[in-house]
Amino acid sequence: MSRAHQQRSAHRDRRPHWHRPLAGVAALAAAMAGLSGLGAPAATAAIAGVSARAATAAAPVLVSTGKPTTASSIEASGFDAAKAVDANASTRWASAEGVDPQWIRIDLGSAHTISRVKLNWEAAYGKTYKIQTSNDGTNWTDVYSTSAGNGATDDLTVTGTGRYVRMHGTARGTAYGYSLWEFEVYGSPVSGGSDTTAPTAPGSLRATATTSNSVSLAWNAATDNVGVTGYDVYRGATRVGTAAGTSYTDTGLTASTGYGYTVKARDAAGNTSAASNALSVTTQPASGSGPAVPFGSHTRPYTAGTLKPTGAQGTLDQKTIDYYTHWKSAFVRQNCGNGWYQVISPDADHPYVAEAQGYGMVIAATMAGADPDAKKIFDGLTKWTIDHPSSVNPDLLAAEQDTACRSVNGGDGATDGDMDVAYGLLLADKQWGSAGTYNYKALAIKHINAIKKDELNPSTNLLKLGDWSSSGDQYYYITRTSDWMVDHFRAFRTATGDSAWDTVRTAHQNQITNLQASYAPNTGLLPDFVVNTNSTPKPAPGQVLEDPNDGAYWWNACRTPWRIADDAVTSGDAKSLAAARKVNTWIKAKTGGDPNKIAIGYKLDGTQISAGSEAAYFAPFALAAMTDPGSQAWLDALWNKMLAAPIDTSSYFSASIQLQVMITASGNHWVP
């Protein structure tokens, strides 16, 4: 049972009784009498005098209720940051569990003098934390810190000024996360102030994408003598939204309609810039095929705290598009007619393999908006999957085809390819809808249900190697770690409404945790294959399917940092974050921060198997680095390594992996 659903009201106050304040003036007077030697009457009079003087002072004003609030993470839906400022002591913010640091930030809207902060902790409290203020949401000043927090209610007297106030926790008091019933800030707006200089106007307002009901905007950053704190986006004379960065997507619009936009910058003192250049944009016709999530629109933000390579967002996007263009030229084909598109696999046993087609479908759907042919390519790949059904389950894809585009080697399915095919179809449904040539949603659900029926072991809830393995054969209790695509399981659950996919996701995440702890405690590496899944799962003892290194971090498992981190950055899941960070910590130390020292393959204890450098090995580590706030330089080194490496046109495997890593690293991976 999830901790979010447990009853914990009996544990709200864990303080020993000797921490509790004495109640009432009489009790306080008694305490003073004992400590100071005053008689009780005199002590009572002293307290009364203090109380009388305090009553004449102005009471601090609660200024945080209902203000915009963000957090580093949330435990689950319903525990968002706004619950901590809703004046409702029965709702709460809860962070991801088991992960430090975490923070929650309140935007007071303008600079305030802060005199008091009150934290009403739930059972999950901060032992070591700071209260910080900021004028720009980036540079923070400590106004309170403790390393001895013990939960319940912390009513703090502070002195500070800022527009933003946050609780920044670095050590949890429990094994869970951080959770606040209420986060109250008391103070008053800064009157007057010395900063009267407005920011410069934002420059080069432009549309980066349009659909029938949305417009995506971007602009060049404004400057300010103190610091820009945000941007207000106007549709005509109406402010329709605010942005912390230099992009925004306006939704809920009407098809084939013109709209005018301007943007203004503001600073912490409330000064507002002149308007940017005016921009006129017309939405697409209702029948248009424009993608709903065009590449580069960044409408699906990653979990708070996720790193991206250093550099302008537009540059990261363009480098990814450039690599995609080379990949497409090298591997996307229209062979054998029939309206088919294929991704060729020169480094595989056959010219066409299901894994490559799955990669192609996910890539094409994601690159929509950057490639005007994306939908045409995707439909050609879809036709290929329909026309090459598995011989075991016709709702799955046959794993291998020859130069004549005929399925060979039994014509059965492979789980890795089928997972990506289903996921790609879900992306396509979100991008283009399912009212065209192909009903992507219906095809996806058929594929997902077929995976559940014939590529999932019902007794272990772990994926099998393919639909060809059945109860009683030697492969039935073997699984391949590179197939464990956690974000895909989430998408399958959303698309089908089938809670079994939650069970499947949890089973795979538990195995990741167990394998790291039991067989790779110092590295976090996973093996290519896991055996004995019906009893005590363990790395393959030798060759069980492909290679003597089947129990090592080899040509399958090299993809696992990518797959784990894809879920970590999009969901903020504590297990995925912990797994990704574990392997990142090891590889960064192993190489001394030099990506050129990443080898080809490792034993689970970190012993190198082979020398050389392959994108399939060094690229996935970049995504693990994105989960660690202390790995910016390491991430930048890995990104630059990818940019410097020419695409290997003889290896669809390495090139396809690097491209998908770059899509995530540039902020363009999203879960349908």
Side-chain angles (χ1 to χ4, degrees), residues 602-628:
Y602 294 94
K603 301 296 185 181
L604 298 190
D605 65 1
T607 303
Q608 178 178 319
I609 295 176
S610 180
S613 182
E614 277 279 349
Y617 284 90
F618 63 74
F621 287 124
L623 302 191
M626 291 174 68
T627 69
D628 176 17

PDB file of all heavy atoms in Angstrom, residues 602-628:
ATOM      1  N   TYR A 602      31.130  -3.573 -18.607  1.00  0.00           N
ATOM      2  CA  TYR A 602      31.701  -3.719 -17.268  1.00  0.00           C
ATOM      3  C   TYR A 602      31.085  -4.939 -16.598  1.00  0.00           C
ATOM      4  O   TYR A 602      29.917  -5.277 -16.811  1.00  0.00           O
ATOM      5  CB  TYR A 602      31.392  -2.497 -16.396  1.00  0.00           C
ATOM      6  CG  TYR A 602      32.038  -1.216 -16.854  1.00  0.00           C
ATOM      7  CD1 TYR A 602      31.355  -0.329 -17.684  1.00  0.00           C
ATOM      8  CD2 TYR A 602      33.324  -0.878 -16.452  1.00  0.00           C
ATOM      9  CE1 TYR A 602      31.937   0.864 -18.105  1.00  0.00           C
ATOM     10  CE2 TYR A 602      33.923   0.314 -16.856  1.00  0.00           C
ATOM     11  CZ  TYR A 602      33.217   1.173 -17.688  1.00  0.00           C
ATOM     12  OH  TYR A 602      33.796   2.350 -18.093  1.00  0.00           O
ATOM     13  N   LYS A 603      31.900  -5.611 -15.760  1.00  0.00           N
ATOM     14  CA  LYS A 603      31.329  -6.542 -14.806  1.00  0.00           C
ATOM     15  C   LYS A 603      30.529  -5.727 -13.791  1.00  0.00           C
ATOM     16  O   LYS A 603      30.717  -4.513 -13.674  1.00  0.00           O
ATOM     17  CB  LYS A 603      32.434  -7.337 -14.106  1.00  0.00           C
ATOM     18  CG  LYS A 603      33.316  -8.149 -15.050  1.00  0.00           C
ATOM     19  CD  LYS A 603      32.547  -9.249 -15.775  1.00  0.00           C
ATOM     20  CE  LYS A 603      33.476 -10.111 -16.609  1.00  0.00           C
ATOM     21  NZ  LYS A 603      32.728 -11.165 -17.348  1.00  0.00           N
ATOM     22  N   LEU A 604      29.652  -6.379 -13.052  1.00  0.00           N
ATOM     23  CA  LEU A 604      28.808  -5.628 -12.135  1.00  0.00           C
ATOM     24  C   LEU A 604      29.597  -4.991 -10.994  1.00  0.00           C
ATOM     25  O   LEU A 604      29.118  -4.037 -10.370  1.00  0.00           O
ATOM     26  CB  LEU A 604      27.697  -6.518 -11.569  1.00  0.00           C
ATOM     27  CG  LEU A 604      26.716  -7.086 -12.603  1.00  0.00           C
ATOM     28  CD1 LEU A 604      25.534  -7.739 -11.891  1.00  0.00           C
ATOM     29  CD2 LEU A 604      26.230  -6.026 -13.574  1.00  0.00           C
ATOM     30  N   ASP A 605      30.830  -5.459 -10.755  1.00  0.00           N
ATOM     31  CA  ASP A 605      31.659  -4.836  -9.725  1.00  0.00           C
ATOM     32  C   ASP A 605      32.446  -3.647 -10.268  1.00  0.00           C
ATOM     33  O   ASP A 605      33.235  -3.028  -9.548  1.00  0.00           O
ATOM     34  CB  ASP A 605      32.606  -5.856  -9.090  1.00  0.00           C
ATOM     35  CG  ASP A 605      33.640  -6.404 -10.072  1.00  0.00           C
ATOM     36  OD1 ASP A 605      33.648  -5.987 -11.256  1.00  0.00           O
ATOM     37  OD2 ASP A 605      34.439  -7.272  -9.660  1.00  0.00           O
ATOM     38  N   GLY A 606      32.261  -3.328 -11.554  1.00  0.00           N
ATOM     39  CA  GLY A 606      32.933  -2.183 -12.156  1.00  0.00           C
ATOM     40  C   GLY A 606      34.176  -2.511 -12.943  1.00  0.00           C
ATOM     41  O   GLY A 606      34.809  -1.614 -13.512  1.00  0.00           O
ATOM     42  N   THR A 607      34.559  -3.785 -13.006  1.00  0.00           N
ATOM     43  CA  THR A 607      35.726  -4.183 -13.785  1.00  0.00           C
ATOM     44  C   THR A 607      35.444  -4.026 -15.274  1.00  0.00           C
ATOM     45  O   THR A 607      34.433  -4.526 -15.782  1.00  0.00           O
ATOM     46  CB  THR A 607      36.103  -5.642 -13.490  1.00  0.00           C
ATOM     47  OG1 THR A 607      36.340  -5.795 -12.086  1.00  0.00           O
ATOM     48  CG2 THR A 607      37.337  -6.051 -14.279  1.00  0.00           C
ATOM     49  N   GLN A 608      36.330  -3.353 -15.974  1.00  0.00           N
ATOM     50  CA  GLN A 608      36.157  -3.119 -17.409  1.00  0.00           C
ATOM     51  C   GLN A 608      36.253  -4.416 -18.194  1.00  0.00           C
ATOM     52  O   GLN A 608      37.081  -5.271 -17.912  1.00  0.00           O
ATOM     53  CB  GLN A 608      37.233  -2.141 -17.886  1.00  0.00           C
ATOM     54  CG  GLN A 608      37.216  -1.844 -19.377  1.00  0.00           C
ATOM     55  CD  GLN A 608      38.288  -0.835 -19.760  1.00  0.00           C
ATOM     56  OE1 GLN A 608      38.508   0.138 -19.048  1.00  0.00           O
ATOM     57  NE2 GLN A 608      38.957  -1.081 -20.873  1.00  0.00           N
ATOM     58  N   ILE A 609      35.383  -4.549 -19.208  1.00  0.00           N
ATOM     59  CA  ILE A 609      35.413  -5.739 -20.054  1.00  0.00           C
ATOM     60  C   ILE A 609      36.218  -5.489 -21.319  1.00  0.00           C
ATOM     61  O   ILE A 609      37.063  -6.288 -21.710  1.00  0.00           O
ATOM     62  CB  ILE A 609      33.981  -6.191 -20.423  1.00  0.00           C
ATOM     63  CG1 ILE A 609      33.235  -6.646 -19.166  1.00  0.00           C
ATOM     64  CG2 ILE A 609      34.014  -7.312 -21.462  1.00  0.00           C
ATOM     65  CD1 ILE A 609      31.785  -7.023 -19.419  1.00  0.00           C
ATOM     66  N   SER A 610      35.981  -4.352 -21.984  1.00  0.00           N
ATOM     67  CA  SER A 610      36.621  -4.105 -23.271  1.00  0.00           C
ATOM     68  C   SER A 610      36.970  -2.626 -23.400  1.00  0.00           C
ATOM     69  O   SER A 610      36.249  -1.756 -22.897  1.00  0.00           O
ATOM     70  CB  SER A 610      35.688  -4.520 -24.408  1.00  0.00           C
ATOM     71  OG  SER A 610      36.280  -4.283 -25.673  1.00  0.00           O
ATOM     72  N   ALA A 611      38.054  -2.333 -24.093  1.00  0.00           N
ATOM     73  CA  ALA A 611      38.452  -0.944 -24.341  1.00  0.00           C
ATOM     74  C   ALA A 611      37.675  -0.393 -25.531  1.00  0.00           C
ATOM     75  O   ALA A 611      36.963  -1.105 -26.229  1.00  0.00           O
ATOM     76  CB  ALA A 611      39.953  -0.874 -24.599  1.00  0.00           C
ATOM     77  N   GLY A 612      37.837   0.897 -25.761  1.00  0.00           N
ATOM     78  CA  GLY A 612      37.156   1.537 -26.885  1.00  0.00           C
ATOM     79  C   GLY A 612      36.113   2.520 -26.406  1.00  0.00           C
ATOM     80  O   GLY A 612      35.967   2.777 -25.200  1.00  0.00           O
ATOM     81  N   SER A 613      35.378   3.078 -27.359  1.00  0.00           N
ATOM     82  CA  SER A 613      34.360   4.073 -27.036  1.00  0.00           C
ATOM     83  C   SER A 613      33.179   3.894 -27.970  1.00  0.00           C
ATOM     84  O   SER A 613      33.356   3.853 -29.193  1.00  0.00           O
ATOM     85  CB  SER A 613      34.927   5.486 -27.179  1.00  0.00           C
ATOM     86  OG  SER A 613      33.976   6.465 -26.839  1.00  0.00           O
ATOM     87  N   GLU A 614      31.989   3.743 -27.404  1.00  0.00           N
ATOM     88  CA  GLU A 614      30.768   3.544 -28.176  1.00  0.00           C
ATOM     89  C   GLU A 614      29.661   4.422 -27.617  1.00  0.00           C
ATOM     90  O   GLU A 614      29.461   4.484 -26.396  1.00  0.00           O
ATOM     91  CB  GLU A 614      30.315   2.082 -28.118  1.00  0.00           C
ATOM     92  CG  GLU A 614      30.997   1.170 -29.104  1.00  0.00           C
ATOM     93  CD  GLU A 614      30.394   1.256 -30.520  1.00  0.00           C
ATOM     94  OE1 GLU A 614      29.312   1.872 -30.673  1.00  0.00           O
ATOM     95  OE2 GLU A 614      31.017   0.705 -31.438  1.00  0.00           O
ATOM     96  N   ALA A 615      28.912   5.080 -28.512  1.00  0.00           N
ATOM     97  CA  ALA A 615      27.805   5.929 -28.070  1.00  0.00           C
ATOM     98  C   ALA A 615      26.785   5.155 -27.246  1.00  0.00           C
ATOM     99  O   ALA A 615      26.154   5.710 -26.340  1.00  0.00           O
ATOM    100  CB  ALA A 615      27.130   6.583 -29.273  1.00  0.00           C
ATOM    101  N   ALA A 616      26.610   3.870 -27.563  1.00  0.00           N
ATOM    102  CA  ALA A 616      25.649   3.057 -26.812  1.00  0.00           C
ATOM    103  C   ALA A 616      26.025   2.967 -25.342  1.00  0.00           C
ATOM    104  O   ALA A 616      25.160   2.717 -24.496  1.00  0.00           O
ATOM    105  CB  ALA A 616      25.559   1.652 -27.411  1.00  0.00           C
ATOM    106  N   TYR A 617      27.308   3.183 -25.027  1.00  0.00           N
ATOM    107  CA  TYR A 617      27.764   3.118 -23.640  1.00  0.00           C
ATOM    108  C   TYR A 617      27.892   4.499 -23.012  1.00  0.00           C
ATOM    109  O   TYR A 617      27.437   4.707 -21.887  1.00  0.00           O
ATOM    110  CB  TYR A 617      29.101   2.367 -23.559  1.00  0.00           C
ATOM    111  CG  TYR A 617      28.918   0.874 -23.691  1.00  0.00           C
ATOM    112  CD1 TYR A 617      28.956   0.259 -24.937  1.00  0.00           C
ATOM    113  CD2 TYR A 617      28.670   0.083 -22.576  1.00  0.00           C
ATOM    114  CE1 TYR A 617      28.759  -1.113 -25.067  1.00  0.00           C
ATOM    115  CE2 TYR A 617      28.478  -1.285 -22.689  1.00  0.00           C
ATOM    116  CZ  TYR A 617      28.518  -1.876 -23.943  1.00  0.00           C
ATOM    117  OH  TYR A 617      28.306  -3.225 -24.060  1.00  0.00           O
ATOM    118  N   PHE A 618      28.526   5.471 -23.715  1.00  0.00           N
ATOM    119  CA  PHE A 618      28.742   6.748 -23.029  1.00  0.00           C
ATOM    120  C   PHE A 618      27.503   7.635 -23.027  1.00  0.00           C
ATOM    121  O   PHE A 618      27.279   8.387 -22.073  1.00  0.00           O
ATOM    122  CB  PHE A 618      29.961   7.497 -23.591  1.00  0.00           C
ATOM    123  CG  PHE A 618      29.887   7.931 -25.035  1.00  0.00           C
ATOM    124  CD1 PHE A 618      29.090   8.992 -25.442  1.00  0.00           C
ATOM    125  CD2 PHE A 618      30.668   7.302 -26.012  1.00  0.00           C
ATOM    126  CE1 PHE A 618      29.052   9.402 -26.764  1.00  0.00           C
ATOM    127  CE2 PHE A 618      30.638   7.695 -27.328  1.00  0.00           C
ATOM    128  CZ  PHE A 618      29.818   8.751 -27.707  1.00  0.00           C
ATOM    129  N   ALA A 619      26.661   7.577 -24.066  1.00  0.00           N
ATOM    130  CA  ALA A 619      25.513   8.491 -24.132  1.00  0.00           C
ATOM    131  C   ALA A 619      24.507   8.277 -22.991  1.00  0.00           C
ATOM    132  O   ALA A 619      24.082   9.252 -22.355  1.00  0.00           O
ATOM    133  CB  ALA A 619      24.828   8.377 -25.493  1.00  0.00           C
ATOM    134  N   PRO A 620      24.074   7.042 -22.686  1.00  0.00           N
ATOM    135  CA  PRO A 620      23.057   6.881 -21.640  1.00  0.00           C
ATOM    136  C   PRO A 620      23.441   7.438 -20.277  1.00  0.00           C
ATOM    137  O   PRO A 620      22.575   7.862 -19.507  1.00  0.00           O
ATOM    138  CB  PRO A 620      22.856   5.362 -21.582  1.00  0.00           C
ATOM    139  CG  PRO A 620      23.166   4.902 -22.974  1.00  0.00           C
ATOM    140  CD  PRO A 620      24.325   5.758 -23.385  1.00  0.00           C
ATOM    141  N   PHE A 621      24.754   7.489 -19.972  1.00  0.00           N
ATOM    142  CA  PHE A 621      25.161   8.029 -18.682  1.00  0.00           C
ATOM    143  C   PHE A 621      24.825   9.514 -18.551  1.00  0.00           C
ATOM    144  O   PHE A 621      24.729  10.038 -17.433  1.00  0.00           O
ATOM    145  CB  PHE A 621      26.659   7.809 -18.459  1.00  0.00           C
ATOM    146  CG  PHE A 621      27.030   6.380 -18.156  1.00  0.00           C
ATOM    147  CD1 PHE A 621      27.972   5.704 -18.928  1.00  0.00           C
ATOM    148  CD2 PHE A 621      26.439   5.699 -17.095  1.00  0.00           C
ATOM    149  CE1 PHE A 621      28.328   4.393 -18.648  1.00  0.00           C
ATOM    150  CE2 PHE A 621      26.785   4.382 -16.805  1.00  0.00           C
ATOM    151  CZ  PHE A 621      27.726   3.728 -17.586  1.00  0.00           C
ATOM    152  N   ALA A 622      24.659  10.214 -19.676  1.00  0.00           N
ATOM    153  CA  ALA A 622      24.300  11.635 -19.610  1.00  0.00           C
ATOM    154  C   ALA A 622      22.951  11.831 -18.921  1.00  0.00           C
ATOM    155  O   ALA A 622      22.744  12.808 -18.199  1.00  0.00           O
ATOM    156  CB  ALA A 622      24.278  12.241 -21.009  1.00  0.00           C
ATOM    157  N   LEU A 623      22.036  10.910 -19.160  1.00  0.00           N
ATOM    158  CA  LEU A 623      20.712  11.064 -18.572  1.00  0.00           C
ATOM    159  C   LEU A 623      20.740  10.752 -17.077  1.00  0.00           C
ATOM    160  O   LEU A 623      20.012  11.372 -16.297  1.00  0.00           O
ATOM    161  CB  LEU A 623      19.708  10.177 -19.292  1.00  0.00           C
ATOM    162  CG  LEU A 623      19.573  10.434 -20.803  1.00  0.00           C
ATOM    163  CD1 LEU A 623      18.369   9.703 -21.360  1.00  0.00           C
ATOM    164  CD2 LEU A 623      19.475  11.926 -21.096  1.00  0.00           C
ATOM    165  N   ALA A 624      21.574   9.814 -16.670  1.00  0.00           N
ATOM    166  CA  ALA A 624      21.740   9.587 -15.230  1.00  0.00           C
ATOM    167  C   ALA A 624      22.312  10.838 -14.571  1.00  0.00           C
ATOM    168  O   ALA A 624      21.915  11.208 -13.461  1.00  0.00           O
ATOM    169  CB  ALA A 624      22.648   8.385 -14.987  1.00  0.00           C
ATOM    170  N   ALA A 625      23.219  11.521 -15.255  1.00  0.00           N
ATOM    171  CA  ALA A 625      23.811  12.747 -14.711  1.00  0.00           C
ATOM    172  C   ALA A 625      22.771  13.840 -14.514  1.00  0.00           C
ATOM    173  O   ALA A 625      22.889  14.672 -13.605  1.00  0.00           O
ATOM    174  CB  ALA A 625      24.921  13.246 -15.628  1.00  0.00           C
ATOM    175  N   MET A 626      21.740  13.857 -15.346  1.00  0.00           N
ATOM    176  CA  MET A 626      20.704  14.889 -15.239  1.00  0.00           C
ATOM    177  C   MET A 626      19.953  14.830 -13.910  1.00  0.00           C
ATOM    178  O   MET A 626      19.344  15.805 -13.494  1.00  0.00           O
ATOM    179  CB  MET A 626      19.701  14.749 -16.389  1.00  0.00           C
ATOM    180  CG  MET A 626      20.259  15.088 -17.745  1.00  0.00           C
ATOM    181  SD  MET A 626      19.073  14.735 -19.077  1.00  0.00           S
ATOM    182  CE  MET A 626      17.806  15.963 -18.758  1.00  0.00           C
ATOM    183  N   THR A 627      19.988  13.690 -13.247  1.00  0.00           N
ATOM    184  CA  THR A 627      19.233  13.518 -11.997  1.00  0.00           C
ATOM    185  C   THR A 627      20.004  13.978 -10.773  1.00  0.00           C
ATOM    186  O   THR A 627      19.453  13.989  -9.673  1.00  0.00           O
ATOM    187  CB  THR A 627      18.846  12.032 -11.798  1.00  0.00           C
ATOM    188  OG1 THR A 627      20.026  11.253 -11.533  1.00  0.00           O
ATOM    189  CG2 THR A 627      18.140  11.480 -13.031  1.00  0.00           C
ATOM    190  N   ASP A 628      21.276  14.348 -10.939  1.00  0.00           N
ATOM    191  CA  ASP A 628      22.131  14.686  -9.799  1.00  0.00           C
ATOM    192  C   ASP A 628      22.488  16.169  -9.846  1.00  0.00           C
ATOM    193  O   ASP A 628      23.231  16.598 -10.729  1.00  0.00           O
ATOM    194  CB  ASP A 628      23.412  13.854  -9.849  1.00  0.00           C
ATOM    195  CG  ASP A 628      24.386  14.226  -8.746  1.00  0.00           C
ATOM    196  OD1 ASP A 628      23.966  14.873  -7.771  1.00  0.00           O
ATOM    197  OD2 ASP A 628      25.578  13.877  -8.866  1.00  0.00           O
TER     198      ASP A 628
END
